[in-house]
Amino acid sequence: MRTVVGLLDCEVACGQEALDTPVGACFAADLMSDVLAFSSSDALLITGLTSVQSVHTAHVADCVGILFVSGKRPSPEALQLARDVSIPLLTTTRSMFEACGILSRNGLVGSARS
Amino acid sequence: MNADEPTTPRDEPLEPHPAEGEVLYKETFRIIGNDFEHGGEAAARVKAILKQLAFPTDAIRRLSIANFEAEMNVIMYADDAEMELAVLPDAVRVTFADHGQGIPDIAWAMQEGNSTATPEMRARGFGAGLGLPNIKRNSDEFSISSIVSVGTTLCYVVYVNGSNRGAQ
């Protein structure tokens, strides 16, 4: 995840201690229903949804972290929950399209349940 | 169909199955409709319990996803609900009994993409019509019944060493 921070010039909102966690794949969506239905575990969730439900979704789906795009920042409730359940939160000013493109060009693959 | 009659339970469990037997642990949670602020807390609590009990990660993930979907369904569509967690020797059984509008056509609601969600629900990241099918997909046993204007009862079971490989 530390590589992702470098590639997208991320700020780390919380979870600095977990940045060495490997990112198995990426799943990008603003629809949490899609994450719950289609993502695999060990994915980095890329989203613009900053509510507490994005963290709950990442938690139950065993995502390794959340990347908030387009300069969006997690709500206070989301930040507190992420700290409680040890999910790193990253933010980038890149759009979702740009972020996904950069991560894909650098070898990260999409997460999809088989 | 008479709206006062319960809709037919679907996907009756096959016999024999491990969802019967001694209940090792039981806890009940109350879910309040429209309480988006706390939506997901029951699912998180159950996940913590199962991790403490050293359940396999795959079973915990499948059950947690089903629990969160069911919890959000109550928050979006029902007045309130009781969620009962029952840990059995070889499985975990969860029952949601809600009070609310009920589901007039369960077969329709079970199809991916069918939803009566409002734009507000979709803006919160839900309401894509994937919830009930996803609960079933992540379960090893699944049943649902509903009475319009009364409520819906949903029961699903995840085996500890489950055979549901499609949800991984």
Side-chain angles (χ1 to χ4, degrees):
Chain A
M1 206 161 346
R2 197 176 297 281
T3 307
V4 173
V5 172
L7 288 170
L8 300 176
D9 195 22
C10 295
E11 286 186 25
V12 182
C14 70
Q16 188 86 40
E17 69 285 353
L19 292 185
D20 290 325
T21 305
V23 175
C26 297
F27 193 94
D30 285 347
L31 199 54
M32 298 299 102
S33 301
D34 275 355
V35 183
L36 294 167
F38 303 123
S39 80
S40 58
S41 57
D42 300 326
L44 176 67
L45 171 58
I46 304 170
T47 186
L49 189 78
T50 58
S51 70
V52 70
Q53 268 79 36
S54 63
V55 182
H56 277 302
T57 299
H59 182 221
V60 301
D62 289 340
C63 294
V64 295
I66 304 176
L67 169 65
F68 295 108
V69 295
S70 302
K72 295 179 180 178
R73 296 186 172 276
S75 66
E77 296 80 13
L79 190 56
Q80 184 58 54
L81 177 62
R83 288 183 173 129
D84 291 345
V85 297
S86 302
I87 291 181
L89 301 185
L90 315 178
T91 66
T92 180
T93 56
R94 301 279 193 176
S95 69
M96 184 180 284
F97 179 81
E98 287 178 311
C100 291
I102 291 169
L103 295 178
S104 180
R105 279 203 308 275
N106 283 275
L108 280 159
V109 296
S111 158
R113 196 189 54 223
S114 57
Chain B
M1 177 185 297
N2 186 332
D4 294 333
E5 293 177 358
T7 47
T8 305
R10 293 170 190 276
D11 302 301
E12 294 287 354
L14 300 173
E15 299 288 351
H17 61 91
E20 294 176 348
E22 181 187 6
V23 175
L24 304 176
Y25 180 85
K26 184 181 282 192
E27 186 166 341
T28 301
F29 305 84
R30 184 167 157 77
I31 317 294
I32 307 297
N34 208 35
D35 185 10
F36 284 93
E37 182 184 348
H38 295 102
E41 290 184 359
R45 168 74 180 135
V46 171
K47 182 172 182 175
I49 290 170
L50 298 182
K51 283 177 90 169
Q52 274 191 330
L53 295 173
F55 272 70
T57 54
D58 170 61
I60 293 176
R61 183 176 194 263
R62 290 194 292 122
L63 190 77
S64 297
I65 289 173
N67 288 343
F68 187 39
E69 293 275 24
E71 188 177 354
M72 293 307 297
N73 274 353
V74 171
I75 287 166
M76 289 190 290
Y77 299 112
D79 298 333
D80 59 22
E82 280 205 345
M83 170 192 181
E84 183 193 84
L85 166 73
V87 179
L88 308 165
D90 299 313
V92 181
R93 183 182 65 223
V94 174
T95 306
F96 276 81
D98 78 37
H99 306 99
Q101 59 187 288
I103 302 172
D105 186 341
I106 288 178
W108 183 86
M110 288 301 301
Q111 293 177 37
E112 283 195 357
N114 287 350
S115 173
T116 56
T118 64
E120 183 194 6
M121 294 172 189
R122 293 177 195 271
R124 291 177 181 272
F126 292 90
L130 296 170
L132 284 174
N134 203 23
I135 295 168
K136 183 178 179 183
R137 183 186 299 122
N138 280 283
S139 306
D140 295 303
E141 296 177 22
F142 175 91
S143 66
I144 183 170
S145 62
S146 189
I147 303 175
V148 171
S149 301
V150 175
T152 300
T153 299
L154 178 66
C155 182
Y156 49 89
V157 176
V158 170
Y159 301 160
V160 171
N161 295 304
S163 57
N164 186 343
R165 316 310 297 178
Q168 295 178 38

